[in-house]
Amino acid sequence: MREDIEFRTEDGVTLRGWHYAPDGATGPTPLVVMAHGFSAVKEHLLDDFAGFFCDGGLGVLVYDNRNLGASDGTPRGEIDPWQQVRDYRTAITWAQTQPWADPERIGIWGSSYSGAHVLVVAALDRRVKAVVSQVPLVSGLANARRLIRSDLFAATRQLFDADRAARYAGAAPQMMQVAWEKDPAEPAALPTQDTHDFFFGPIQDRAPNWRNEVTLRSVEMFVEYEPGAYIADIAPTPLLMVVACQDHLTVADLSLEYFEKARQPKELVALPCGHFEAYVGEAFAESAPRQLAWFRKYL
């Protein structure tokens, strides 16, 4: 069963999403808390993962990040990774007050940008009893240097500086496309072909409230974000990391490098696919059961 839910953060922003309850549940159940990655909303296939986990006996809380989708918050399109980390922890706090959640058996799930966040949350918050991090960002700066041509990196920093000066003078934050829409030469925060294909492909109609824009400041915060620095501190909380071996968005070799720094208990799922293929098809069929088994084992 799925129901609409909403809860308020400590600073008064309402976040909205869904709660999934397993069939036949009559009391508190283990719960997985989930949110999506950079600019994405819950309708971008999170319902497939949540439904699968729910069918496997877990409760699931899925919500849109602030400033995106169904959730409140301004400026719209602002993606602050540390605020999203705090909101994950608020979601856990709220869930622990609900009659359908077992407060001692809460896990967290994230993918791509939120795959980074759950690494940080699991290291900082011992209420988390298991974590699954799918195709995660592990180093903002190292990853940005893969996505932005070296001869354009200095110019990108100049854009950040100009936007900061303009905001200080009272201007609205500058906006930027998430994905190029018509021409690969268009400036975009995530300038890869598969990003375009994901957001403008067959699932586009599933997420009509998604907007192809973020603040330029969001991209600057992406470059500054180093979630992998926390990975060794997740233990003894169990970590399952899902890596797409052909991933060139959150590049696979960086994820594998940082996975080696994590301590036990940990497990790696290596999928022979690209970043967005991890959400669908054969990759989903391979990894989702292993993710469910991980949560069931530790929750």
Side-chain angles (χ1 to χ4, degrees):
M1 181 186 74
R2 189 178 89 181
E3 62 178 341
D4 293 338
I5 57 90
E6 63 179 49
F7 60 96
R8 293 178 67 81
T9 65
E10 292 185 20
D11 58 341
V13 175
T14 298
L15 305 184
R16 298 184 178 88
W18 303 315
H19 167 243
Y20 288 74
D23 288 343
T26 58
T29 64
L31 183 76
V32 177
V33 177
M34 306 173 62
H36 220 316
F38 194 88
S39 92
V41 296
K42 60 188 182 299
E43 290 84 1
H44 283 129
L45 304 179
L46 288 199
D47 43 346
D48 290 353
F49 283 92
F52 188 86
F53 295 157
C54 183
D55 289 344
L58 301 174
V60 186
L61 171 62
V62 186
Y63 66 93
D64 279 336
N65 288 304
R66 68 169 63 207
N67 310 331
L68 301 171
S71 290
D72 290 347
T74 56
R76 301 304 289 176
E78 178 97 312
I79 303 172
D80 180 337
W82 284 105
Q83 184 61 68
Q84 291 184 351
V85 164
R86 290 191 290 272
D87 289 343
Y88 255 102
R89 301 182 75 180
T90 298
I92 294 169
T93 300
W94 177 75
Q96 288 182 315
T97 70
Q98 301 305 301
W100 34 257
D102 184 335
E104 299 303 319
R105 293 190 291 169
I106 290 181
I108 53 176
W109 183 99
S111 187
S112 195
Y113 212 37
S114 65
H117 303 340
V118 296
L119 298 176
V120 179
V121 174
L124 298 177
D125 198 325
R126 292 302 168 198
R127 296 176 301 173
V128 174
K129 298 303 187 289
V131 55
V132 170
S133 175
Q134 176 176 277
V135 294
L137 175 80
V138 292
S139 171
L141 181 58
N143 213 104
R145 290 191 180 279
R146 305 291 187 91
L147 293 174
I148 303 171
R149 279 174 31 193
S150 58
D151 58 328
L152 298 178
F153 204 85
T156 301
R157 289 197 179 277
Q158 290 173 358
L159 289 176
F160 296 158
D161 294 342
D163 181 50
R164 185 179 295 276
R167 296 197 315 267
Y168 187 76
Q174 184 176 336
M175 306 302 290
M176 187 177 198
Q177 290 188 121
V178 178
W180 60 266
E181 188 167 357
K182 303 295 185 184
D183 185 345
E186 297 169 14
L190 305 178
T192 64
Q193 177 71 48
D194 55 349
T195 303
H196 164 86
D197 294 346
F198 178 78
F199 285 115
F200 295 107
I203 70 165
Q204 184 176 9
D205 292 341
R206 290 178 61 163
N209 62 352
W210 175 74
R211 298 292 178 264
N212 186 29
E213 61 176 10
V214 294
T215 62
L216 182 60
R217 176 167 51 188
S218 300
V219 182
E220 183 178 21
M221 288 187 282
F222 176 107
V223 174
E224 298 169 348
Y225 189 36
E226 295 295 325
Y230 289 83
I231 199 165
D233 297 320
I234 294 173
T237 303
L239 166 66
L240 177 71
M241 182 182 286
V242 181
V243 175
C245 294
Q246 299 166 24
D247 195 336
H248 52 254
L249 185 61
T250 55
V251 290
D253 60 294
L254 284 177
S255 296
L256 293 171
E257 176 187 336
Y258 276 82
F259 178 77
E260 292 303 313
K261 300 177 182 180
R263 299 186 174 99
Q264 297 289 350
K266 64 178 180 178
E267 185 174 313
L268 176 69
V269 177
L271 302 174
C273 66
H275 185 87
F276 293 104
E277 293 169 304
Y279 295 88
V280 296
E282 293 180 2
F284 177 90
E286 178 180 347
S287 71
R290 295 179 67 177
Q291 295 177 34
L292 172 62
W294 189 257
F295 281 131
R296 287 177 60 87
K297 178 177 180 179
Y298 290 106
L299 298 183

